[in-house]
Amino acid sequence: MESSKPTQIVKGVVEAAVEKVGDALTPDVPGAPGSAPPPLKEPTTPHGPLPPKDEQGAPDTRTPTGAETGVPKIAKGQQGAYLTTANGARLRDTDHSLKAGPRGPVLLQDHHLREKITHFDHERIPERVVHARGAGAHGTFVAYGTAEEVTRAGFLKKGRETPVFVRFSTVLGSRGSADTVRDTRGFATKFYTDEGTFDLVANNIPVFFIQDAIKFPDVIHAGKPHPDREIPQAQSAHDTFWDFVSLHTEAQHHTMWNMSDRGIPRSYRTMEGFGVHTFRMVDEAGATVLVKFHWKPKLGVHSLTWEEAQLIGGIDPDYHRRDLYDAIEAGAFPEWELGIQVFPDTPEETFAGIDLLDPTKIVPEELAPVQPIGKLTLNKTPRNFFAETEQVAFHVGHLPPGIDVTNDPLLQGRLFSYVDTQLTRLGGPNFTQIPINRPHADVNDMLRDGFHQHAVHAGVAPYRPNSLDGGNPFPAGDREHAFVDTPVTVAEAPKVRAAPASFDDHYSQVRLFWQSMSPVEKEHIIRAYTFELGKCYHQAIKDRQLQCLANVDPVLCEQVAIGLGLPVPQPTVPFADVQPSPALSQVGREWPADGRMVGIVVDAQGDMNDVHEVRRAVFAAGMVPLLIAAHGGTVDGLPVQRTFATGRSVEFDAVLLAGAPAPAPDALPARDAKAGAAGSSTVDPRVLLLVEEAWRHAKVIGAWGAGAEVLNQAGVTGTPGVVTGGSGAEVLTEVQRLMAAHRVWERFPASVA
Ligand code: HEM
């Protein structure tokens, strides 16, 4: 999907407004900042703001009360050619404060200085107490109509298209933490439906740590950095975390998912999403079913290896954010299908013996298939990160008519928590009026005033009943599609602080998950537990967690114990007899390779003929080619996006070798050897490192022509997933076929069956 867009869109504006320079670089490279190539000299001819980049979206232009304004979405955040104060007075100078003489004290009178600094002082808002690190994107959701028979929700009617904003996140880290840490990922979607906003505030793991929201501060306090030194950042590999989860054993199921490959996703585009809780759907006649929501990524569920995650954390801490935005900019729009598992709404609220109100339990897909009900496509990046991604406010209670909550005690607490935290985070009660949060349905509430009130409310009677405003607003009935609070029967019972007895089973589904993994996935889980517990200081905590693993599976426990050098405890609960769920494994299927990154190593001195064709073919296959060469700039007219010094294998899903470049002038054998690059007098050591790493991480590698020599020197010729051929096109065809499996799994030795 080659895009000629950056040049096209901005050309006219740039030519009219910006002083041109000779050969401004205008690569068709996703991620290049700004909508126009910058001139060499500072522009001095006044002109209006440049347009946003083509791939950038923005919130709809709505009034604070949800009405369409008719103002086109392309409206700019800033107007006019001149710098002004916040009140629009044009400014002569923003480089010097107003002083009593050039050496004199600064004058209190300098409103511009004080406005500029005061505003700056308040530029940060408190970051989210959890899920602080995230990335958002705009898109659309199109309903298949398959949910019509179970819900009256209008946005799920066949063919209905609804604008959405999605924010992905990690849970534990601060706003500036790395993307590829081992953690749960948030997957929160705001559907701007015309019956009110629906927020599906989901995670990439279908179960949660705790069964009752009252434990949320506990689990988060345990997972966040230690309060004395404020370390470690964005990690669960520390004593307080394992202290809590080994004592509060209902956390063991979620923790096993965290220790699996799900804890280190390849990208946001390759994650599943889960509503976790059971929700209730209500049809036109008031009949109800219970449902669980699932997001299924079109590209499949894929993960990084642990070593890749570590390397990327240093080399490109913004990896997931960049991947999302580059994919959208390249036109490889990420897609998911929304699906539901449907269960009869019985008084017991169970299915196949599984308590549907227990958020630490899944219902295996083999027992209740996920039925697709619509498709999500993310097609616009935010124009302003702060205004959109940072200020978006999700809430599990934002529900349209036709979807309702259940009594899941975790969900019940969440209903309180989100609005409460947003009052502080967003500086008052009017955050639904922030552009990204504005509903696309008519708003006629009786909420008034408060910090940052944007709506200029008319009328005198924000109360009901009233006659002074003619009785408006009026309550709506069924005909007007009012929200239905399902009249669920609440059993007569004493008030207690307790959970149902069915919530006491903390191990059977952990075992189910473990038994559903392939050998290589089991191997990864063992390594993850060993690493995390190995980082704990306290022996008692390691012993206690090993006891939990003993209750899951003897092989798992034994392998981790060997890694820790500790004795293997005996189980204290009988093993549950569980049926594996193949749907939980990420291995063994094939997926489209859209948006995958293909590194192409070129030798500027070698044969470049095939490279043009291969690069075009990679684009045409919906993937992103990145040329890697000895130096930046261009080679044979093609943009070089990584040099041997900046390119590292972890960025690529596959590596192609179009040549065997000799050591570049900046190659230092001694230093590169320290970084792991093998010595060679004929091939640049960093190219060998690239190939060795890509091989170790089970990525497909292809070579033609002189490129085959690199494979020989790296010692990988003829091994699984290493493709050679007479031409670039021939090699690419086979590489692409192999990439469908995500990795060359047979290269991973597994120590367990
Ligand atoms: C099934 C369990 C849960 C899931 C799937 C979940 C998911 C999420 C997600 C995706 C976000 C990030 C929203 C964003 O991108 O802005 C978030 C934020 C948050 N969650 Fe949860 N969460 C869960 C449980 C809880 C519980 C039990 C509580 C509290 C009792 C809680 C409190 C919060 C808070 C306070 C935020 C920050 C919201 C903000 O500042 O706007 N969560 N959660």
Side-chain angles (χ1 to χ4, degrees):
M1 270 171 238
E2 191 146 12
S3 149
S4 53
K5 157 197 42 110
T7 357
Q8 278 170 7
I9 309 158
V10 293
K11 205 163 174 248
V13 185
V14 177
E15 277 171 2
V18 183
E19 290 164 35
K20 285 209 75 183
V21 282
D23 66 341
L25 185 66
T26 55
D28 50 354
V29 175
S35 59
L40 198 58
K41 291 194 215 127
E42 183 181 347
T44 51
T45 313
H47 61 84
L50 296 183
K53 290 175 79 174
D54 189 35
E55 82 282 2
Q56 293 176 331
D60 259 26
T61 48
R62 300 268 161 170
T63 67
T65 51
E68 290 185 53
T69 59
V71 177
K73 261 217 222 175
I74 52 156
K76 303 177 182 86
Q78 299 91 343
Q79 314 291 333
Y82 297 99
L83 179 70
T84 70
T85 63
N87 280 294
R90 287 185 182 171
L91 288 162
R92 201 171 289 278
D93 179 351
T94 190
D95 299 336
H96 308 91
S97 44
L98 190 66
K99 300 188 218 78
R103 300 172 62 81
V106 173
L107 299 177
L108 182 61
Q109 170 195 338
D110 188 349
H111 172 68
H112 173 47
L113 166 76
R114 282 182 292 118
E115 180 181 74
K116 190 171 172 181
I117 294 195
T118 302
H119 197 279
F120 166 78
D121 289 344
H122 298 275
E123 266 174 19
R124 305 278 172 274
I125 58 175
E127 64 175 34
R128 287 171 177 82
V129 59
V130 284
H131 295 263
R133 169 82 186 167
H138 298 270
T140 58
F141 176 80
V142 180
Y144 297 156
T146 39
E148 278 181 40
E149 59 191 66
V150 289
T151 177
R152 69 199 311 181
F155 83 103
L156 289 174
K157 298 216 180 303
K158 189 174 171 63
R160 197 71 73 80
E161 187 166 343
T162 305
V164 299
F165 186 78
V166 175
R167 183 174 180 274
F168 302 105
S169 48
T170 51
V171 178
L172 287 177
S174 298
R175 208 180 137 188
S177 56
D179 277 344
T180 58
V181 295
R182 183 179 292 283
D183 198 357
T184 307
R185 301 297 186 287
F187 187 150
T189 308
K190 195 174 272 300
F191 299 78
Y192 301 93
T193 92
D194 53 13
E195 295 179 303
T197 303
F198 171 45
D199 288 348
L200 182 52
V201 197
N203 279 345
N204 77 327
I205 290 181
V207 290
F208 205 62
F209 288 105
I210 48 171
Q211 295 167 323
D212 187 318
I214 200 168
K215 297 305 295 172
F216 195 63
D218 301 79
V219 66
I220 298 301
H221 288 174
K224 284 274 189 183
H226 293 196
D228 49 358
R229 300 180 175 197
E230 218 195 19
I231 53 174
Q233 177 58 241
Q235 302 281 315
S236 52
H238 56 109
D239 290 77
T240 55
F241 179 78
W242 290 102
D243 183 32
F244 176 79
V245 299
S246 61
L247 289 168
H248 200 66
T249 49
E250 68 200 36
Q252 290 292 323
H253 191 187
H254 190 114
T255 331
M256 168 80 80
W257 279 75
N258 273 139
M259 294 306 112
S260 80
D261 291 346
R262 305 276 180 150
I264 39 174
R266 152 70 177 80
S267 71
Y268 294 136
R269 297 182 286 140
T270 58
M271 291 187 333
E272 281 180 308
F274 303 93
V276 180
H277 313 283
T278 301
F279 289 81
R280 184 168 267 113
M281 280 189 164
V282 190
D283 73 7
E284 294 289 353
T288 60
V289 288
L290 298 176
V291 299
K292 280 183 180 288
F293 289 105
H294 294 245
W295 288 113
K296 297 275 184 193
K298 179 181 153 199
L299 302 180
V301 194
H302 305 300
S303 295
L304 299 169
T305 66
W306 178 236
E307 190 189 34
E308 278 179 303
Q310 300 310 296
L311 289 169
I312 297 171
I315 291 165
D316 187 4
D318 310 300
Y319 183 70
H320 284 159
R321 189 179 283 188
R322 191 187 313 286
D323 173 273
L324 177 69
Y325 294 149
D326 284 357
I328 294 174
E329 188 172 350
F333 298 145
E335 287 177 357
W336 288 260
E337 272 194 324
L338 180 64
I340 46 174
Q341 288 179 296
V342 183
F343 317 105
D345 190 357
T346 60
E348 300 74 34
E349 296 164 317
T350 58
F351 183 79
I354 299 164
D355 192 332
L356 296 173
L357 296 195
D358 179 351
T360 65
K361 302 289 189 312
I362 59 163
V363 177
E365 290 183 32
E366 290 76 11
L367 299 182
V370 177
Q371 303 174 36
I373 62 170
K375 190 171 84 171
L376 164 72
T377 306
L378 296 181
N379 52 20
K380 293 283 173 196
T381 63
R383 204 171 286 177
N384 184 280
F385 189 91
F386 183 88
E388 299 164 71
T389 306
E390 206 52 26
Q391 294 200 115
V392 68
F394 296 94
H395 189 321
V396 275
H398 292 164
L399 298 164
I403 305 179
D404 201 358
V405 296
T406 58
N407 289 345
D408 172 343
L410 189 69
L411 177 56
Q412 296 279 313
R414 292 179 78 194
L415 289 167
F416 165 75
S417 180
Y418 288 76
V419 75
D420 182 48
T421 194
Q422 285 151 3
L423 284 173
T424 320
R425 182 167 77 76
L426 297 166
N430 290 313
F431 50 82
T432 53
Q433 298 180 5
I434 294 172
I436 193 67
N437 295 325
R438 289 180 183 174
H440 291 196
D442 290 346
V443 175
N444 195 352
D445 58 26
M446 293 183 294
L447 312 171
R448 290 293 181 272
D449 308 343
F451 279 124
H452 317 304
Q453 177 58 258
H454 283 64
V456 184
H457 292 108
V460 293
Y463 54 84
R464 268 199 55 79
N466 79 70
S467 61
L468 285 175
D469 279 349
N472 182 285
F474 297 93
D478 264 352
R479 277 218 316 239
E480 296 83 24
H481 248 229
F483 186 87
V484 184
D485 289 300
T486 322
V488 175
T489 305
V490 178
E492 194 178 311
K495 288 194 225 169
V496 285
R497 291 189 181 276
S502 61
F503 280 34
D504 289 344
D505 165 20
H506 297 173
Y507 289 108
S508 65
Q509 287 212 342
V510 200
R511 185 166 169 75
L512 185 156
F513 183 80
W514 168 257
Q515 293 204 340
S516 306
M517 295 292 103
S518 63
V520 65
E521 291 170 299
K522 284 183 176 170
E523 171 82 21
H524 290 171
I525 292 173
I526 291 166
R527 294 295 140 239
Y529 275 112
T530 312
F531 174 85
E532 298 253 330
L533 295 171
K535 297 277 278 191
C536 291
Y537 288 82
H538 291 289
Q539 188 64 32
I541 291 172
K542 298 181 200 188
D543 286 338
R544 201 192 299 137
Q545 178 58 33
L546 273 182
Q547 180 62 64
C548 295
L549 297 184
N551 292 347
V552 176
D553 185 86
V555 174
L556 166 66
C557 182
E558 184 190 30
Q559 290 293 316
V560 177
I562 290 171
L564 296 174
L566 293 175
V568 184
Q570 289 306 304
T572 53
V573 295
F575 293 130
D577 183 16
V578 290
Q579 279 297 315
S581 165
L584 297 177
S585 169
Q586 294 177 217
V587 175
R589 272 167 286 173
E590 299 210 330
W591 306 95
D594 305 27
R596 293 282 178 152
M597 311 295 275
V598 179
I600 309 176
V601 175
V602 299
D603 179 0
Q605 266 69 55
D607 180 2
M608 286 291 292
N609 278 342
D610 268 11
V611 175
H612 287 265
E613 193 193 329
V614 165
R615 186 172 178 273
R616 262 195 309 274
V618 172
F619 263 130
M623 301 190 288
V624 182
L626 292 165
L627 246 57
I628 314 164
H631 57 74
T634 56
V635 172
D636 208 30
L638 295 175
V640 173
Q641 286 143 265
R642 298 291 184 275
T643 64
F644 298 156
T646 61
R648 196 75 192 250
S649 72
V650 288
E651 276 190 279
F652 313 116
D653 295 292
V655 174
L656 300 180
L657 298 151
D666 66 337
L668 282 180
R671 181 199 57 204
D672 294 327
K674 268 189 238 159
S680 160
S681 55
T682 55
V683 176
D684 192 291
R686 293 153 306 173
V687 172
L688 287 176
L689 176 63
L690 189 78
V691 171
E692 285 160 13
E693 264 178 11
W695 193 89
R696 198 163 70 242
H697 299 149
K699 288 172 178 169
V700 186
I701 304 170
W704 63 95
E709 175 56 18
V710 183
L711 302 180
N712 288 339
Q713 294 207 17
V716 300
T717 308
T719 57
V722 176
V723 183
T724 49
S727 71
E730 184 191 332
V731 169
L732 181 63
T733 306
E734 179 61 4
V735 164
Q736 215 182 320
R737 191 186 68 74
L738 292 170
M739 284 174 79
H742 179 54
R743 288 186 199 274
V744 186
W745 292 108
E746 55 267 48
R747 263 195 233 142
F748 276 123
S751 62
V752 287

